[in-house]
Amino acid sequence: MSESQSGFSAELIDYLEGRISFEEFDRLREEREAKQAFASMLGETAEQCSTEEDENEEEGNSYVDDEDDEDYQVDEEDEDDKDRGDEEDEESPDAGDVFALEMELNRENKKMMKERRHRSKLPRALRGLMGEANIRYARGEKEDAILMCMEIIRQAPLAYEPFSTLAMIYEDEEDVEKALQFGLIAAHLNPSDCEEWAKLAEMSLEQGNVRQAIVCYGKAIKHDSTNVRYLWERSSLYMQLGEHKQCMDGYRRILSLLPSEDGHHFMQLSRDMAKSYYESNDLPSALGVIEEALSRHSDLLTDEVINMAAELYIANHQHGKALQVVCVLVDFCGIVLVRAKHPQTDPPLEKEKEGEQQTEGTLEKKNEETTEAEEVTAEEGHVSLPPPVGEVRDVHVPDSVPMDIRVKLIICLIHQHVYSPLDMMLTGLMEQSPEDFGDLYLDVAEAFLDEGCYTSALPLLSALVCSEKYNLAVVWLRHAECLKALGHMEVAVRSYGRVVELAPQHLEARLSLSTLEQQLGHPQRALEALCSMYDAETLAHDASAAQQELKLLLHRSTLLKTQGRLDDYLDSMLTMLAMLLKVAMTRAKVCVRSVIVSGVKHLRLVKVKDHVSDIDDQEAAYQDISGKTSVLSREDWWQLVVQSMCTLCEVRRFKEAELLVDSSLEFYSFYDVIPKRKELEFFGLSAAFLDHNYRKAYDYIRLMLIDTVERPQLWNVFNQVTFKSQDVRHHRFCLRLMLKNPDNHALNVLCGHNALVSGSFKHALGQYVQAFRSHPKQPLYSLCVGLTFFHMASQKFVAKRHPLLLQGFSFLWRYVDLRGPCQESMYNLGRALHQMGLTHLAIHYYHKALSMEPPKLEGMVDDQVDLRREISFNLALIYQSSGNINMARQLINTYCIV
C-alpha cells in the first residue's frame, strides 16, 4: 500500500510491515516533525507546510476540494443536521450525498493534520462509526469491530481511537504482539496519555523488549517530567542494560524531585548512588552525591552515612576532609582533638570566651600553657570546625563511637602523619577479634604500608594471617610485602609461597617469589616459582590469561639466560614467539614440536610438508593474536626475535634459525617495515650459509643484489655462495644483471670468471679487458687477461698460437711487475710456463717461489696463504714425468706430508 493511497507516513508503513523497529520508527517520526517545524519557522504558507500525505491524497481523489469555492463553504452544524436527517430518512443515500460526505471527510482530515494541538483527530462524520465499533466490541462482535476500525483508519489515519480499540480487542484475544503494536501507534497519535505509555512499557517488558520499554517510559516522562515512578522504572531498566551513566542521571532527577520532608528516601537513594559510582570507579561523582546528602539532610546523619563519606574521602586521598567528616559531623559522638598551642596564633583568654559564645561549641581547656581541646558539636543541622591550630597531641574518643568510625579516624591520622595519639586507639582495635573485625585490621595495615610504617603494620597483618576467616591470599601478599620491606627475606619467601598456593594465578606474587629465591641463592626454586599458570586451552580462548603467561615467560627466559641454560631459554622464547607468529607459522608451514634430547624434553622448530591449518579466518586470528600479545610492543617483540635467532646460531641450531626467519617474514608487522625486512633477510642468509643450505642462501643474496649492486660486501658473499654451491645457475643471473648495470666493475669481473670457467674465452677476454681499462694498476686483471690468452693458445684448433702466447706473457710480466716478486707471483708465472710445456723454465720459477716466505696477513692463519704445498706438488709432477723419482719423493715428503 503506497503512502498516497493510505495516508500513512512512510515510516509508519515500514513499521507496520516489519521493516524497521519501534525505536527507528520513533526516531524517523521525530525527525520528520522537526523538519516540518523548521519549515514553518522559515515563513512558508500552510499549504507548503502540510505533509506529503495531504498532497498525495488530494491528487489521488477524483474530485478536488476547493475551500475558496463558495459552493463548498457549508456550515458544519448544518451539515451535521443534514447527515443525521439523511441517516434517519433514507436507508440508501444517493451519489450526491456520498460525494458531500467524502468532501467533508477530506476537509476535516486536512484540517486535523495541520493542527499542532494533540486532540481527537477523528472527523465528526466518522465518530458515529467509531462509536458503533466500540459497541460491537462491547457486545463481543470483535470481527465486525475490527473491520469498522480498519475502515476508519483508512479514511482517518491520524485518529488514535481506532488503534486504541484494536489494541484492546487483540489484548482480549491474548494476541499481545498485535495489541502492543496497535497500542504503540495509538500512543504516538495521542502522546500526552502518560498512563498509556506506562502500560505499553510494561507490555514491552513482558515481551522482553527492554529498549522499547525505555522509549515508552521516556515518552511518558516527556509529558510528565515530575513523575518519580516513571523515572525510577526507566533508571532501573538502564541499570539492567548496564548503561550506568543514564541510570545515574535518572536517579539525580529523582533526587531533585524528592520533597524536603522525604529525607529518608533521599538519604537511602544517595547511599545507593554513591555506592554505584564507587563500584564504577567514579569517585568524584560519588563524593558529589554524598556531599549533597550531607548538606541537605545533615539532621538525618547515621553511622552508615558517616562511614561511607569518610571511606570515599580516604579513597580519593582527601584525608583532611575525611577527618572533618569523622570528627565534625558525628556530633553525638563527642570526639575531642587535643592540639598543641601555636605561640604566634594563641588568642587571648577574652577572645577565646567570645568565640565560645558565638559558635556555641564545646571548647575544653586541657593545659593552659601547651594544649587545648576542641570538641565540636552541631547546631540546627549545620556544623562547622574552626581551623586546626597546632599539632594534634591526643584524641578522646567516647566508647559509644562505632569501631568502623574509629578505624576511619585512625586511617586519617596515619595519613596526616599524626602517630602519637594512635597507641591507645590501636590497642582498642587489637583487643577486638580479627575474625570479626579483620577488614578493619587490613584497612589500618594498608594505611601504615602506604606511609612506609612497616613495623606498625606487621602485628596487624600477622594477626590476620593467623586467623581462619582472613587467612586469604591478599592478606598474605601484604604480609609478604611488609616482611620484604623490613629485610626479613626468608620469612617473606614463605609468605609469598603461601600466596602462590592460595592464588596460583597471581603473577606479581610469583615474580616477587622468584626474585627473592634468586637473591637467596636458590636458582632452581626461582625457576619453579615461574612455572606455567594456565593450560593450552585456556591460553587459546582467554586473552587476559595469555597476557599474564607472556609476562611470566618473559621473566623466566631472562632468568634462564642469566643462569646460562640456553636450551631452556630457547624453549621459553619459542613458546612466546609461537603465540605471536601463530598465523605466520601456518603460512610458512612451520610448527613447534616437543622432542627428547638426552632424556630431556625440549622444543624444536620443524618444517611440516603436509600441514593442515586449523585457522579458518586468518585475518580474525591475526586480530585475536594482536590483542593477546599487546602486553609487549612491536619493538619489544622484534628484540625477542633477534635475540632468539642469535642464540639459535650460538648453539649451532642453524636450521631452526632459518625456519624462524621464514616465519618472521610471513608476519606482516615485520615484513611491512623495510629495515626489519632487510635485517631478517640478512639473518636468513647467514643462517642458510652456516647450515650449508647454499641454494637458499643464493635466493637471499640474489634478492639483495637485485636491490643494490654497489655494495662490494654483497658480491663477496655472492662469490662465496656460488663457489660453495657448485651451481652454474648464477651465470644467467649475472648476465641479465649486467645488461641493466653495464658499468658495474664487480659484474664485469664476475661475468669474465663465469665465461672463463664455461670455456667462452673471447667473452671472458672482453670482460677482463674492460675491467683492466677501468683499473689498470690492479695486478689481478693483468693476470686474468694473461691466463685467458694462455687458455686460448692451448686450444687444439687455433690460427695464431704464437701471438697469443706473446700477448699472454706480456700481461703476465706486467702482473709480476705490479705484484712484485713474491711467492704468489713466482708460483703463477711457473704455473703458466708449466701449462705451456716449458718445464725447464717452470722449474726455475717454482724453486724461486719455494725459497720465498709466505706473506703475513692480519686476521688470517699463516698456513692458509702458504703456497709451498702446491709448488712442491707441481715440481714433483715435473720430476716424476722426467724420471727423477727420488727428487719427486723428497719434495712430497718435505712439504706435502703432515
Side-chain angles (χ1 to χ4, degrees):
M1 182 183 294
S2 65
E3 183 180 351
S4 60
Q5 294 174 347
S6 64
F8 289 100
S9 61
E11 63 270 12
L12 182 57
I13 293 174
D14 291 340
Y15 172 64
L16 290 175
E17 293 181 356
R19 288 195 292 268
I20 60 175
S21 63
F22 176 73
E23 290 82 358
E24 295 174 342
F25 161 67
D26 182 56
R27 179 180 56 81
L28 294 173
R29 183 173 180 273
E30 289 181 352
E31 291 177 357
R32 181 169 57 83
E33 290 178 351
K35 290 180 181 178
Q36 292 177 357
F38 181 72
S40 62
M41 290 172 60
L42 295 177
E44 297 182 0
T45 62
E47 286 296 324
Q48 292 172 340
C49 293
S50 63
T51 61
E52 186 179 352
E53 291 84 5
D54 295 335
E55 297 173 358
N56 292 335
E57 188 175 355
E58 290 177 14
E59 294 173 3
N61 291 330
S62 58
Y63 298 96
V64 180
D65 182 15
D66 189 0
E67 293 182 0
D68 297 332
D69 193 349
E70 296 181 357
D71 294 338
Y72 297 107
Q73 293 180 355
V74 184
D75 185 65
E76 292 182 354
E77 296 179 358
D78 294 338
E79 292 181 359
D80 292 341
D81 294 338
K82 180 178 179 181
D83 292 338
R84 286 194 293 271
D86 291 340
E87 291 176 1
E88 294 174 358
D89 298 337
E90 297 180 8
E91 296 180 356
S92 56
D94 56 10
D97 296 334
V98 173
F99 172 74
L101 178 61
E102 288 184 356
M103 293 301 101
E104 177 63 18
L105 291 175
N106 253 341
R107 186 181 297 110
E108 291 195 14
N109 273 338
K110 289 187 294 180
K111 188 184 298 182
M112 294 296 182
M113 292 169 69
K114 295 175 185 178
E115 290 178 352
R116 296 186 180 275
R117 292 185 300 108
H118 295 292
R119 63 181 183 82
S120 177
K121 296 183 179 181
L122 186 65
R124 298 190 180 190
L126 294 177
R127 290 176 186 175
L129 184 58
M130 188 70 247
E132 181 66 22
N134 290 331
I135 292 173
R136 296 290 179 91
Y137 164 58
R139 292 175 180 173
E141 301 174 4
K142 297 179 182 179
E143 295 296 333
D144 295 338
I146 291 174
L147 293 176
M148 291 179 180
C149 289
M150 289 298 182
E151 179 61 24
I152 295 171
I153 291 173
R154 186 185 69 81
Q155 299 188 43
L158 296 183
Y160 72 88
E161 290 88 346
F163 291 103
S164 180
T165 302
L166 287 171
M168 290 188 292
I169 293 173
Y170 285 116
E171 188 176 0
D172 287 347
E173 293 183 350
E174 298 183 355
D175 191 347
V176 183
E177 182 66 27
K178 285 189 177 181
L180 180 60
Q181 301 304 325
F182 282 109
L184 289 171
I185 297 173
H188 266 285
L189 296 175
N190 185 29
S192 60
D193 191 350
C194 300
E195 290 298 329
E196 184 65 21
W197 282 116
K199 178 183 176 182
L200 292 171
E202 295 174 358
M203 295 177 65
S204 299
L205 288 177
E206 293 176 1
Q207 296 292 312
N209 195 339
V210 180
R211 284 287 179 190
Q212 186 167 286
I214 290 175
V215 173
C216 293
Y217 277 123
K219 292 292 184 180
I221 294 170
K222 182 178 180 181
H223 294 87
D224 188 3
S225 58
T226 61
N227 194 308
V228 176
R229 184 174 71 88
Y230 299 157
L231 288 168
W232 183 270
E233 293 294 339
R234 187 176 68 168
S235 298
S236 301
L237 294 178
Y238 276 130
M239 183 62 74
Q240 290 182 20
L241 295 178
E243 298 181 3
H244 183 264
K245 183 180 181 303
Q246 290 83 347
C247 175
M248 293 296 106
D249 292 342
Y251 285 154
R252 283 186 179 275
R253 289 183 63 181
I254 294 174
L255 288 179
S256 64
L257 294 174
L258 287 176
S260 57
E261 59 271 11
D262 199 2
H264 291 287
H265 289 90
F266 189 95
M267 297 298 289
Q268 179 64 37
L269 183 57
S270 297
R271 288 198 302 270
D272 295 341
M273 291 179 62
K275 183 179 179 181
S276 180
Y277 276 127
Y278 179 74
E279 291 174 351
S280 60
N281 297 323
D282 191 357
L283 285 178
S285 299
L287 286 171
V289 171
I290 206 69
E291 287 175 350
E292 184 180 0
L294 294 176
S295 61
R296 289 186 59 177
H297 297 283
S298 57
D299 54 335
L300 298 176
L301 294 179
T302 61
D303 295 344
E304 184 181 358
V305 176
I306 298 301
N307 189 44
M308 178 178 289
E311 186 172 354
L312 290 175
Y313 280 122
I314 291 172
N316 204 34
H317 304 289
Q318 298 180 7
H319 305 103
K321 288 188 177 182
L323 187 61
Q324 291 182 4
V325 168
V326 174
C327 298
V328 178
L329 297 177
V330 191
D331 56 287
F332 52 86
C333 294
I335 297 176
V336 179
L337 295 180
V338 180
R339 297 180 181 271
K341 283 187 177 181
H342 198 287
Q344 297 180 355
T345 59
D346 188 20
L349 183 60
E350 294 80 10
K351 292 186 178 181
E352 290 182 10
K353 293 182 179 180
E354 292 177 3
E356 291 177 358
Q357 296 174 359
Q358 292 176 0
T359 61
E360 295 184 5
T362 303
L363 184 62
E364 183 180 28
K365 199 165 185 180
K366 298 285 290 182
N367 190 331
E368 294 181 357
E369 294 181 357
T370 59
T371 63
E372 66 176 357
E374 297 175 353
E375 182 176 3
V376 186
T377 59
E379 179 186 11
E380 296 180 357
H382 177 70
V383 291
S384 61
L385 180 69
V389 179
E391 180 185 357
V392 177
R393 292 293 184 85
D394 197 4
V395 178
H396 295 169
V397 183
D399 296 336
S400 59
V401 177
M403 185 55 65
D404 289 348
I405 297 179
R406 288 172 179 264
V407 169
K408 296 297 185 299
L409 178 59
I410 293 173
I411 293 173
C412 294
L413 293 175
I414 291 172
H415 286 292
Q416 294 291 320
H417 304 101
V418 178
Y419 302 114
S420 56
L422 293 179
D423 294 337
M424 294 299 297
M425 301 178 69
L426 288 174
T427 302
L429 175 62
M430 295 293 289
E431 291 175 354
Q432 307 297 324
S433 172
E435 301 291 344
D436 300 328
F437 296 92
D439 55 339
L440 303 182
Y441 273 65
L442 185 59
D443 291 341
V444 176
E446 287 183 339
F448 277 124
L449 292 177
D450 291 341
E451 297 299 330
C453 302
Y454 303 105
T455 306
S456 301
L458 186 58
L460 296 168
L461 294 171
S462 298
L464 286 176
V465 297
C466 293
S467 64
E468 294 182 2
K469 185 177 180 181
Y470 288 93
N471 185 19
L472 304 174
V474 62
V475 180
W476 278 105
L477 181 62
R478 296 291 181 269
H479 187 252
E481 292 173 350
C482 186
L483 290 170
K484 180 181 177 182
L486 292 173
H488 307 318
M489 299 300 181
E490 294 183 356
V491 187
V493 165
R494 290 197 292 269
S495 296
Y496 276 121
R498 185 62 177 158
V499 176
V500 174
E501 290 178 9
L502 296 174
Q505 297 170 355
H506 196 292
L507 177 63
E508 297 300 328
R510 285 177 174 271
L511 298 181
S512 299
L513 176 60
S514 176
T515 303
L516 289 179
E517 292 284 13
Q518 184 74 8
Q519 292 176 0
L520 293 174
H522 305 145
Q524 187 59 36
R525 293 181 185 177
L527 290 175
E528 291 174 357
L530 297 178
C531 61
S532 180
M533 299 185 295
Y534 303 95
D535 55 11
E537 185 177 357
T538 303
L539 294 175
H541 297 90
D542 190 347
S544 177
Q547 292 178 352
Q548 296 291 320
E549 189 73 11
L550 278 174
K551 292 180 181 179
L552 184 71
L553 287 170
L554 184 62
H555 284 79
R556 181 179 175 84
S557 63
T558 304
L559 186 59
L560 287 167
K561 191 170 185 180
T562 57
Q563 295 180 5
R565 301 173 59 174
L566 295 183
D567 288 335
D568 295 328
Y569 165 74
L570 285 174
D571 290 346
S572 299
M573 297 294 284
L574 292 179
T575 303
M576 288 190 289
L577 293 177
M579 298 174 65
L580 176 72
L581 305 175
K582 181 179 180 181
V583 179
M585 285 183 173
T586 301
R587 289 196 291 266
K589 296 183 179 181
V590 177
C591 68
V592 179
R593 286 183 178 174
S594 178
V595 298
I596 298 178
V597 180
S598 300
V600 181
K601 283 188 176 182
H602 289 290
L603 297 181
R604 293 289 187 269
L605 285 173
V606 295
K607 188 76 171 180
V608 183
K609 295 182 178 179
D610 300 327
H611 179 62
V612 179
S613 174
D614 57 348
I615 301 175
D616 297 329
D617 188 353
Q618 292 192 358
E619 187 64 30
Y622 180 79
Q623 296 297 330
D624 179 60
I625 291 171
S626 299
K628 291 179 180 179
T629 58
S630 59
V631 65
L632 295 177
S633 65
R634 284 291 178 260
E635 190 61 33
D636 294 335
W637 280 113
W638 170 252
Q639 294 301 325
L640 291 180
V641 171
V642 173
Q643 293 172 12
S644 299
M645 283 188 286
C646 293
T647 308
L648 285 171
C649 293
E650 182 180 348
V651 298
R652 306 190 66 80
R653 289 161 59 177
F654 304 118
K655 184 64 177 179
E656 294 180 62
E658 292 180 56
L659 298 178
L660 182 56
V661 171
D662 295 342
S663 302
S664 301
L665 286 173
E666 293 288 345
F667 189 62
Y668 298 140
S669 297
F670 294 159
Y671 185 82
D672 293 340
V673 181
I674 295 179
K676 288 184 173 60
R677 186 202 312 167
K678 290 185 176 298
E679 191 168 353
L680 283 173
E681 290 174 352
F682 280 115
F683 277 123
L685 172 62
S686 301
F689 189 86
L690 294 173
D691 191 40
H692 306 293
N693 189 354
Y694 301 114
R695 178 175 292 273
K696 192 170 186 178
Y698 172 77
D699 293 335
Y700 280 118
I701 193 64
R702 179 174 175 273
L703 293 175
M704 296 175 189
L705 288 173
I706 290 175
D707 186 55
T708 176
V709 295
E710 302 299 331
R711 298 180 64 178
Q713 297 91 339
L714 295 180
W715 288 112
N716 292 336
V717 175
F718 182 79
N719 285 333
Q720 289 288 329
V721 171
T722 54
F723 171 73
K724 295 286 186 179
S725 65
Q726 299 295 323
D727 194 354
V728 296
R729 59 175 178 162
H730 65 282
H731 292 179
R732 293 183 180 179
F733 167 72
C734 293
L735 289 175
R736 288 193 299 267
L737 202 59
M738 193 179 63
L739 293 177
K740 298 179 181 179
N741 304 275
D743 298 329
N744 186 268
H745 177 67
L747 266 176
N748 288 329
V749 177
L750 194 57
C751 288
H753 291 340
N754 293 335
L756 182 66
V757 171
S758 60
S760 301
F761 301 122
K762 292 183 179 180
H763 179 68
L765 184 61
Q767 297 296 328
Y768 287 144
V769 169
Q770 186 175 355
F772 173 78
R773 288 175 178 173
S774 60
H775 296 80
K777 298 298 182 180
Q778 284 288 341
L780 174 63
Y781 306 137
S782 298
L783 174 63
C784 291
V785 172
L787 291 179
T788 304
F789 278 119
F790 284 138
H791 281 295
M792 294 173 65
S794 299
Q795 288 178 318
K796 185 175 182 180
F797 301 102
V798 59
K800 300 178 180 179
R801 191 182 307 273
H802 296 291
L804 291 175
L805 288 174
L806 290 176
Q807 291 176 355
F809 275 112
S810 64
F811 277 99
L812 201 60
W813 282 111
R814 180 181 177 86
Y815 156 72
V816 173
D817 292 339
L818 293 174
R819 190 71 178 90
C822 62
Q823 189 184 64
E824 173 199 327
S825 60
M826 294 299 102
Y827 168 69
N828 285 327
L829 185 58
R831 190 165 59 99
L833 293 169
H834 189 181
Q835 181 180 352
M836 293 295 102
L838 303 175
T839 55
H840 61 289
L841 296 176
I843 291 174
H844 170 72
Y845 288 104
Y846 278 146
H847 278 290
K848 195 171 183 180
L850 198 61
S851 63
M852 294 181 177
E853 293 294 327
K856 305 288 185 179
L857 300 180
E858 184 180 356
M860 299 184 70
V861 183
D862 294 342
D863 184 70
Q864 189 173 357
V865 293
D866 190 2
L867 298 175
R868 284 180 292 186
R869 287 189 293 271
E870 289 80 1
I871 298 170
S872 60
F873 181 77
N874 289 346
L875 271 176
L877 291 178
I878 295 175
Y879 286 131
Q880 185 179 0
S881 62
S882 63
N884 194 347
I885 304 299
N886 293 330
M887 191 64 182
R889 185 180 295 111
Q890 180 185 357
L891 288 171
I892 296 295
N893 293 334
T894 304
Y895 297 102
C896 298
I897 295 179
V898 179

